Amino acid sequence: PTGTTVAGGAFSAHSTVKFFRGSTNDAAPQFHFQKSRGSISSPALVEDDDELARIHASAYDGAGYDDQPFLTVKATEDWDASGHGFEQILYTVPNNSTTSTAVLTLGHDQSTTFGGAVSLANNALNNVGASGSDWTQHTLVLSGARSGDSKMIHVSNTTSDHTDSHAILSATS
């Protein structure tokens, strides 16, 4: 059915929706979205690029409540019994803007796309593209740096008996 359910808020200073599951197994409570191009009684297959789920965040800005997507799940193929491809997209809204921007996409092919700069807390990326112990299959792609910036990709392979270290690209554009 179509409609809106409002939980909490009117008589409470703290509006919270809680999900509880008490059971003897390890299953967690679920927040479940179901999508069909049909109705409940006559469902139809979803298609490539259909939104399967969306979580929004909004707040009053003096003129109204601006509804921005926070997380979207989209089909990446026409769904059938043998294919359920989807991607997840995380959004933010930059300061002094009202337009949401995709900042992280987790692709159906296990790719990860960042919509902005990537900062690493320890300045290290570990096990990039790792496949077992074959470090030759590691892949790291850097793009979009400003002209004149120095770029360097450093790959090292450490095992219990030695460390191989190679600078595979060092360039200034």
Side-chain angles (χ1 to χ4, degrees):
T2 302
T4 302
T5 301
V6 178
F11 302 104
S12 172
H14 304 286
S15 297
T16 304
V17 176
K18 295 181 180 179
F19 296 90
F20 173 81
R21 178 177 179 147
S23 85
T24 58
N25 64 30
D26 63 353
Q30 298 179 17
F31 193 72
H32 196 130
F33 297 90
Q34 291 184 312
K35 165 72 176 174
S36 166
R37 280 193 163 246
S39 64
I40 290 176
S41 60
S42 182
L45 299 172
V46 296
E47 297 176 7
D48 184 18
D49 212 36
D50 280 0
E51 286 191 352
L52 306 178
R54 180 186 276 197
I55 298 174
H56 289 260
S58 62
Y60 188 71
D61 64 5
Y65 286 88
D66 188 24
D67 197 19
Q68 296 290 334
F70 170 71
L71 175 68
T72 301
V73 178
K74 291 176 70 173
T76 55
E77 65 180 344
D78 293 347
W79 279 35
D80 60 25
S82 64
H84 297 167
F86 70 89
E87 65 185 7
Q88 298 175 41
I89 308 165
L90 181 66
Y91 297 86
T92 63
V93 176
N95 286 348
N96 301 309
S97 176
T98 59
T99 304
S100 59
T101 304
V103 294
L104 176 65
T105 302
L106 303 175
H108 69 94
D109 57 358
Q110 288 75 49
S111 63
T112 303
T113 304
F114 295 91
V118 176
S119 299
L120 303 171
N122 62 0
N123 294 320
L125 220 61
N126 297 312
N127 297 319
V128 176
S131 176
S133 61
D134 184 359
W135 69 276
T136 63
Q137 295 184 25
H138 292 209
T139 304
L140 175 60
V141 178
L142 301 178
S143 62
R146 295 181 308 245
S147 178
D149 286 353
S150 176
K151 297 166 211 53
M152 182 169 176
I153 300 172
H154 184 254
V155 176
S156 64
N157 179 39
T158 303
T159 63
S160 59
D161 57 349
H162 72 284
T163 298
D164 293 330
S165 186
H166 308 280
I168 60 172
L169 171 67
S170 181
T172 302
S173 55

